[in-house]
């Protein structure tokens, strides 16, 4: 028993199924399952295809049924029309029979009269019956043509009938009863034909050729005004559909969509005018209607351009407006050959839009330019525009250079958007806005300069200014940036505007015809003078604050006051072997020399700016002295002790100032005029106190030579007690107040070589000064 149980639990080796047989058995079952699934899928595919085929067949049957229904509806409409036509024929036949009965009744009543003239009666009746038959046949033919919508044949038939019977047009003898009845029936059919033509013309799907044929048919029927009205209506409808189809695409073409809209509009107007002339001739009434219609369409066009334009303060909006002006005016010029003048209306409608876009663009530019602490975003300026400003980067904070570059970039960006015709009509307005933007730019630079009257304790005002120049090099770099922008870069940027305007002005002078509107006239010289006045404002502010900082100490005391010309001690200057100007003017010489040295580094290659600036500084000193009431009040005070040496010293100081400007090559005429007025006033003041100028003053040549010698001595660094006094008493006071990047100070005049001085003068130069002519002055 145990052995048998063990055998059951553990079968012998012969009863074990091989693995290959198991694999083959399961594999065959798996393959059978896959085959079964494939057959089922194939059956399902056939069923789906059959279903799709049945659906398609049913769909096609449905479409055929729909077409048959439409055809049946059309046939029913035609049948209704035929029934209506037959009804009209029956009514006409009945009315004709009644009319004939009445005529025969009247004829029988006059039978005796007819009997007296039987030949006439026999001749009359056949003619009347023949005419009636022809009229009935005509009306029957017209009715058939109207029912069959054969409008061309109906028009021809009506035309032939009107030619043979002028009475139908109201021309000829008075109408008889029979003719009047026929005319009413004729006009009724004619009105029906007219309605059919109008119905065809008003269909949206009608083609141009078919439309022209219909309108010509209306013209043949004597409905010219109606045909012209339908022509305008049809072209206006086509234009509206074209614009409606294009408007959704405007965002895809933000810079060029005005040109496309303009092409759609004006090409339609041109085509309408041409077709109208071909169909209706040069009728002034029709031409006037076309112009009125075109004006309405132009107003719609301008409105669409505005509605689909980008934000008005963007440069892209200015580009859109410029393209609108260019494309529209070009099309208007082409239309003038067809007798349609729309340019004036177009400019009237466009001017507010263009002015608004220009104003908003310049407002945006103003915000960018006046933001001295603006972003560090690099501007894509060409080297031709960026190089002249980049030379100031080493001498000042990049903020000033960036502001100049932002100014030029924004102006250039605006000017580049203007098309030629936009410049012709709005170039003057653009230039005025550019000059205003430059004024704002200059005002911002003036705020960056230290003010002569500012108080160090007013921190609130200083914090409101994002950038302030402190050193001489920074201030000179600021001036150099402004002058470079105005004199070099701005003319290059606006040259495109001026070239177009000059070309138009030359064309005007040659043809004696006004092309540029009066509102766009702008004198280039006046515009340049406006820019120059802004530069003068900036330069004068710098000179004024620079001179006043030199004249007044931090305590508010004047270093250049009248006390230096009072209570003079010592001998007359005439007897002095080496007379020198007073200490403030010697310090002025050193300060100008120091500033010129810094200017030579900062304004390298811009000698014109250096000379104009330093000349104005010298001029500012004498202007201040000429207008300083406190200074003259001290001299003109009767209690003041005046001596001849004081007058001599004052006159020498004035000659010394003139010689500074003269030997440096600056324009010195204005300085000389002011100095002469100061000397004249001083002589009058001293003469009023009993000092005789003739005995106290030497010749003018002596003062000129003394001033030359003083400049020579200061340049060559001659030692002496006088120069020691300059160093100790006056110039050293300014060491803490004058901020400069130069290592040379006014106290070290003796160590400065002649070629490093602002005058660049040598001893030989002093002997042969350069006198400026009137033109140079």
């Amino acid at each position: 028993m145990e052995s048998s149980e063990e055998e059951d639990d553990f079968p012998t080796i012969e009863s074990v199924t091989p693995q290959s047989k198991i694999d083959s058995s399961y594999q065959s079952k798996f393959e059978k399952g896959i085959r079964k699934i494939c057959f089922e899928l194939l059956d399902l595919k056939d069923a789906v295809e059959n279903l799709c085929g049945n659906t398609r067949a049913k769909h096609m049957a449905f479409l055929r049924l729909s077409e048959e229904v439409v055809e049946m509806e059309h046939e029913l409409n035609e049948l209704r029309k035929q029934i209506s036509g037959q009804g009209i024929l029956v009514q006409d036949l009945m009315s004709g029979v009644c009319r004939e009965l009445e005529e025969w009744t009247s004829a029988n009543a006059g039978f005796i009269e007819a009997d007296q003239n039987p030949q006439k009666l026999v001749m009359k009746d056949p003619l009347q019956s023949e005419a009636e038959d022809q009229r009935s046949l005509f009306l029957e033919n017209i009715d058939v043509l109207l029912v069959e919508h054969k409008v061309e044949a109906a028009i021809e038939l009506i035309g032939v009938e009107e030619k043979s019977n002028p009475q139908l047009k109201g021309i000829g003898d008075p109408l008889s009863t029979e003719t009047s009845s026929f005319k009413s029936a004729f006009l009724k059919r004619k009105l029906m034909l007219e309605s059919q033509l109008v119905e065809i013309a008003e269909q949206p799907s009608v083609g141009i050729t078919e439309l022209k044929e219909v309108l010509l048919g209306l013209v043949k029927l004597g409905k010219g005004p109606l045909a012209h009205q339908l022509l305008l209506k049809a072209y206006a409808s086509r234009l509206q559909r074209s614009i409606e189809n294009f408007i959704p695409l405007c965002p895809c073409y933000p810079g060029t969509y005005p040109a496309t809209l303009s092409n759609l509009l004006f090409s339609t107007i041109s085509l309408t005018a041409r077709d109208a002339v071909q169909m209706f001739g040069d009728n002034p009434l029709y031409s006037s209607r076309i112009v009125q219609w075109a004006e309405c369409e132009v107003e719609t066009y301008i409105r669409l351009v505005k509605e689909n334009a980008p934000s008005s303060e963007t440069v892209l909006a200015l580009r859109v407006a410029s393209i609108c002006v260019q494309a529209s005016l070009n099309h208007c010029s082409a239309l003038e050959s067809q007798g349609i003048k729309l340019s004036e209306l177009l400019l009237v409608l466009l001017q507010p839009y263009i002015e608004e876009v220009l104003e908003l663009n310049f407002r945006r530019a103003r915000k960018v330019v006046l933001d001295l602490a603006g972003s560090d975003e690099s501007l894509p300026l060409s080297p031709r525009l960026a190089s002249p400003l980049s030379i100031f980067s080493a001498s000042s904070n990049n903020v000033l250079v960036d502001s100049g570059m932002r100014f030029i970039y924004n102006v250039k960006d605006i000017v580049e958007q203007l098309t030629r015709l936009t410049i012709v009509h709005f170039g003057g307005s653009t230039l005025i806005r550019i000059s205003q933007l430059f004024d704002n730019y200059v005002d911002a630079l003036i705020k960056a300069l230290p003010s002569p009257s500012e108080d160090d304790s007013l921190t609130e005002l200083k914090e409101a200014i994002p950038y302030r120049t402190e050193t001489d090099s920074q201030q000179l770099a600021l001036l150099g940036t402004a002058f470079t922008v105005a004199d070099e870069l701005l003319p290059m940027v606006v040259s495109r505007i001026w070239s177009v305007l000059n070309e138009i002005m030359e064309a005007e002078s040659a043809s004696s015809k006004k092309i540029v509107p009066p509102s766009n006239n702008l004198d280039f010289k006046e515009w340049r003078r406006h820019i120059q006045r802004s530069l003068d404002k900036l330069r004068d502010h710098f000179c004024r604050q620079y001179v006043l900082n030199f004249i007044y100490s931090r305590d508010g005391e004047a270093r250049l006051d009248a006390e230096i010309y009072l209570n003079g001690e010592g001998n007359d200057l005439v007897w002095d072997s080496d007379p020198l100007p007073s200490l403030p003017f010697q310090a002025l010489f050193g300060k100008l020399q120091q500033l010129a040295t810094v200017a030579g580094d900062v304004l390298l290659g811009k000698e014109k700016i250096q000379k104009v600036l330093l000349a104005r500084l010298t001029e500012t000193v004498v202007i201040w002295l000429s207008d300083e009431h406190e200074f003259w009040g001290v001299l003109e005070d009767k209690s003041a002790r005046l001596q001849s040496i004081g007058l001599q010293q004052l006159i020498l100081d004035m000659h010394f100032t003139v010689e500074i400007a003269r030997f440096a090559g600056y324009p010195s005429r204005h300085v000389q005029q002011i100095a002469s007025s100061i000397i004249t006033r001083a002589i009058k003041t001293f003469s009023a106190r009993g000092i005789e100028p003739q005995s106290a003053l030497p010749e003018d040549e002596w003062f000129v030579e003394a001033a030359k010698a003083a400049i020579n001595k200061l340049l060559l660094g001659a030692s002496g007690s006088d120069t020691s006094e300059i160093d100790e008493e006056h110039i050293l006071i300014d060491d803490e107040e004058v901020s400069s990047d130069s290592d040379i100070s006014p106290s070290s005049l003796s160590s400065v070589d002649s070629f490093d001085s602002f005058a660049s003068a040598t001893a030989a130069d002093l002997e042969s000064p350069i006198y400026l002519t009137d033109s140079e002055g």
Side-chain angles (χ1 to χ4, degrees):
M1 295 293 293
E2 292 178 357
S3 61
S4 62
E5 291 177 358
E6 290 177 355
E7 289 177 359
D8 294 336
D9 295 336
F10 301 97
T12 62
I13 297 175
E14 287 79 3
S15 63
V16 176
T17 304
Q19 184 66 37
S20 59
K21 185 177 182 180
I22 295 172
D23 292 340
S24 62
S25 174
Y26 280 101
Q27 185 176 1
S28 62
K29 292 180 180 180
F30 182 69
E31 290 177 353
K32 291 179 181 179
I34 291 176
R35 289 192 185 95
K36 184 179 180 180
I37 292 173
C38 290
F39 287 133
E40 291 177 353
L41 289 175
L42 290 174
D43 294 339
L44 181 61
K45 178 183 177 183
D46 294 337
V48 170
E49 289 178 351
N50 292 333
L51 180 61
C52 292
N54 294 335
T55 304
R56 190 177 297 107
K58 292 178 181 179
H59 178 67
M60 296 300 295
F62 176 75
L63 292 178
R64 286 195 298 272
L65 183 60
S66 299
E67 292 176 357
E68 291 176 359
V69 170
V70 173
E71 291 178 359
M72 289 298 296
E73 290 180 352
H74 182 68
E75 291 178 359
L76 287 175
N77 291 331
E78 293 293 332
L79 184 58
R80 291 192 187 97
K81 293 178 181 178
Q82 291 180 5
I83 293 173
S84 176
Q86 294 297 328
I88 294 173
L89 289 176
V90 171
Q91 290 179 359
D92 292 340
L93 183 59
M94 292 175 62
S95 61
V97 170
C98 294
R99 195 166 53 249
E100 289 179 0
L101 290 174
E102 292 177 356
E103 291 175 357
W104 281 108
T105 302
S106 60
N108 291 329
F111 181 78
I112 298 175
E113 181 180 356
D115 188 32
Q116 294 176 357
N117 194 0
Q119 185 178 2
K120 182 178 180 181
L121 181 61
V122 172
M123 295 295 294
K124 181 178 180 181
D125 291 340
L127 289 175
Q128 288 183 349
S129 60
E130 184 179 355
E132 289 294 334
D133 292 341
Q134 291 179 354
R135 292 172 181 174
S136 299
L137 180 61
F138 168 78
L139 294 176
E140 182 179 351
N141 292 336
I142 285 294
D143 290 335
V144 172
L145 293 176
L146 290 177
V147 170
E148 295 178 355
H149 284 74
K150 296 181 179 180
V151 293
E152 294 181 1
I155 292 171
E156 291 294 332
L157 192 58
I158 287 178
V160 172
E161 187 65 22
E162 286 181 341
K163 289 181 180 178
S164 60
N165 296 309
Q167 298 89 350
L168 298 177
K169 292 185 177 182
I171 304 174
D173 299 332
L175 299 179
S176 62
T177 305
E178 296 82 0
T179 306
S180 177
S181 176
F182 174 71
K183 183 176 181 180
S184 62
F186 175 83
L187 294 178
K188 183 178 181 180
R189 270 71 171 179
K190 188 175 181 181
L191 183 61
M192 292 175 61
L193 178 59
E194 178 184 331
S195 300
Q196 286 189 5
L197 292 174
V198 172
E199 182 181 355
I200 296 173
E202 289 181 345
Q203 291 180 0
S205 60
V206 65
I208 294 295
T209 304
E210 185 179 0
L211 175 65
K212 291 181 179 179
E213 293 176 354
V214 170
L215 297 181
L216 286 174
L218 287 173
V219 173
K220 291 179 181 179
L221 294 177
K223 298 296 181 180
L226 177 60
H228 191 269
Q229 181 180 356
L230 290 173
L231 176 69
L232 295 182
K233 185 177 180 181
Y235 277 104
S237 178
R238 291 174 179 273
L239 174 62
Q240 183 178 1
R241 289 197 300 270
S242 300
I243 291 177
E244 289 176 352
N245 293 333
F246 178 73
I247 286 298
L249 301 178
C250 288
C252 301
Y253 308 97
T256 58
Y257 77 89
T260 304
L261 286 176
S262 176
N263 188 41
L264 290 175
L265 169 66
F266 290 99
S267 61
T268 303
I269 294 175
S270 176
L271 180 60
T272 305
R274 185 168 60 251
D275 291 346
V277 171
Q278 291 177 356
M279 297 173 60
F280 307 102
D282 292 330
N283 191 324
L285 177 61
Y286 295 155
S287 301
S288 176
R289 288 181 179 178
I290 290 179
V291 171
Q292 292 176 1
W293 167 72
E295 290 176 350
C296 295
E297 295 297 337
V298 167
E299 293 181 5
T300 304
Y301 162 71
I302 300 299
R303 178 179 55 81
L304 290 174
V305 171
K306 293 180 183 179
E307 291 176 353
N308 294 277
S311 178
S312 296
E313 65 180 2
T314 60
V315 177
L316 184 57
L318 182 59
R319 182 64 180 172
V320 167
S322 299
I323 291 177
C324 178
V325 173
Q326 183 74 25
S328 303
L329 290 178
N330 281 335
H331 285 297
C332 287
S333 299
L335 284 177
E336 288 182 358
S337 61
Q338 297 179 254
I340 302 176
K341 297 181 180 181
L342 300 172
S343 300
E344 294 183 2
L345 173 66
L346 185 68
L347 288 174
V348 170
L349 295 174
L350 279 175
Q351 184 171 2
Y353 174 54
I354 301 296
E355 293 291 343
E356 176 188 356
V357 175
L358 280 173
E359 180 64 26
L360 292 179
N361 268 268
F362 274 98
R363 286 185 186 179
R364 174 188 51 80
R366 191 177 302 117
K367 293 178 183 178
V368 175
V369 171
L370 300 186
D371 184 13
L372 294 183
S375 62
D376 297 333
E377 182 181 357
S378 59
L379 299 176
L381 277 179
S382 63
R384 184 186 179 193
L385 296 175
S387 298
L389 292 176
S390 60
I391 62 175
F392 300 110
S393 300
S395 303
S396 66
N397 192 298
N398 287 333
V399 171
L400 288 178
V401 178
D402 290 343
S403 66
M405 289 188 175
R406 286 200 300 272
F407 177 86
I408 289 298
Y409 173 78
N410 280 275
V411 173
K412 174 177 173 289
D413 202 17
I414 290 175
V415 172
E416 286 179 345
Q417 311 309 317
L418 304 180
T419 58
R420 186 178 185 278
L421 290 179
T422 307
I423 293 174
V424 170
H425 294 279
F426 302 98
S429 177
T430 304
L431 287 175
I432 291 175
R433 285 182 167 87
I434 291 175
S435 63
Q436 293 172 351
L437 180 62
F438 185 76
D439 292 342
N440 300 135
Y441 172 62
V442 168
D443 291 339
L445 295 183
I446 289 177
K447 293 179 181 179
L449 290 172
S451 176
S453 59
E454 68 182 5
D455 190 352
D456 293 339
S457 62
L458 298 178
T459 57
E460 296 180 358
L461 293 178
K462 290 193 172 185
E463 290 177 357
I465 301 175
Y467 178 74
R468 181 175 293 277
T469 56
E470 299 294 345
T471 64
D472 288 348
S473 61
Q474 290 176 347
Q475 296 178 20
L476 290 174
L478 182 147
L479 294 173
T481 300
F483 274 80
T484 302
V485 167
D487 290 342
E488 299 181 23
L489 303 182
L490 193 56
M492 285 193 295
V493 171
V494 302
S495 61
R496 179 165 168 266
I497 297 179
W498 283 120
S499 62
V500 173
L501 293 181
N502 289 335
E503 179 183 346
I504 297 301
M505 291 178 183
E506 291 176 0
E508 284 183 354
S509 60
S511 63
S512 300
K513 181 181 179 182
K514 204 65 178 175
I515 301 176
V516 178
S519 59
N520 199 38
N521 287 337
L522 185 66
D523 186 8
F524 176 72
K525 294 182 179 179
E526 180 60 32
W527 186 80
R528 286 292 301 164
R529 281 194 291 267
H530 183 91
I531 298 295
Q532 188 60 46
R533 284 193 291 270
S534 294
L535 285 177
D536 294 344
K537 179 181 177 182
L538 175 64
R539 182 200 60 197
D540 293 345
H541 179 84
F542 167 78
C543 293
R544 185 169 57 254
Q545 63 87 15
Y546 196 86
V547 168
L548 292 180
N549 287 336
F550 162 73
I551 293 175
Y552 292 97
S553 64
R554 289 184 178 272
D555 298 333
E557 296 180 359
R559 301 192 185 101
L560 179 58
D561 56 12
E563 295 295 334
I564 61 177
Y565 303 111
L566 299 179
N567 304 323
E569 297 180 357
N571 299 328
D572 289 349
L573 295 180
V574 180
W575 303 104
D576 193 345
S577 60
D578 293 318
L580 290 174
S582 58
L583 294 178
F585 284 90
Q586 294 181 48
L588 173 65
F589 177 80
K591 196 169 179 66
L592 291 177
Q593 184 187 31
Q594 175 189 358
L595 185 64
T597 304
V598 178
D601 296 333
V602 176
L603 304 176
L604 183 63
K606 300 183 181 298
E607 289 77 10
K608 178 182 177 181
I609 300 177
Q610 298 181 43
K611 287 189 175 184
V612 171
L613 178 63
L614 295 174
R616 185 58 179 171
L617 278 172
T618 309
E619 186 177 309
T620 304
V621 174
V622 292
I623 289 175
W624 176 87
L625 189 62
S626 174
D627 297 335
E628 182 58 26
H629 299 291
E630 184 178 352
F631 177 87
W632 292 105
V634 173
L635 291 180
E636 294 171 354
D637 188 2
K638 295 182 179 181
S639 61
R641 297 175 56 190
L642 301 180
Q643 297 184 11
S644 59
I645 188 174
L647 180 59
Q648 294 172 3
Q649 188 67 57
L650 178 58
I651 296 175
L652 178 60
D653 290 343
M654 293 300 99
H655 280 278
F656 179 74
T657 306
V658 172
E659 292 303 320
I660 289 175
R662 179 177 294 168
F663 289 122
Y666 307 152
S668 60
R669 178 172 298 278
H670 194 206
V671 177
Q672 187 173 2
Q673 290 175 351
I674 300 174
S676 298
S677 65
I678 292 175
I679 292 173
T680 302
R681 184 174 180 179
I683 291 175
K684 290 181 179 180
T685 302
F686 278 79
S687 299
R689 305 294 296 279
I691 298 176
E692 292 295 335
Q694 295 179 354
S695 60
L697 300 178
E699 298 294 332
D700 291 340
E701 289 76 7
W702 182 89
F703 288 104
V704 173
E705 295 300 327
K708 294 177 184 178
I711 292 177
N712 189 22
K713 183 177 180 180
L714 293 174
L715 287 176
L716 296 178
S719 61
S721 59
D722 292 328
T723 55
S724 298
E725 291 178 0
I726 297 173
D727 296 341
E728 295 176 2
E729 296 182 10
H730 199 90
I731 299 180
L732 291 179
I733 297 176
D734 296 335
D735 288 346
E736 297 179 356
E737 299 179 11
V738 179
S739 298
S740 174
D741 294 340
S742 175
D743 296 335
I744 303 173
S745 64
S747 61
S748 58
L749 289 176
S750 60
S751 64
V752 180
D753 295 334
S754 61
F755 60 88
D756 287 332
S757 68
F758 76 97
S760 300
T762 61
D765 296 330
L766 299 177
E767 297 299 328
S768 57
I770 302 174
Y771 291 92
L772 298 180
T773 62
D774 292 344
S775 61
E776 294 170 336

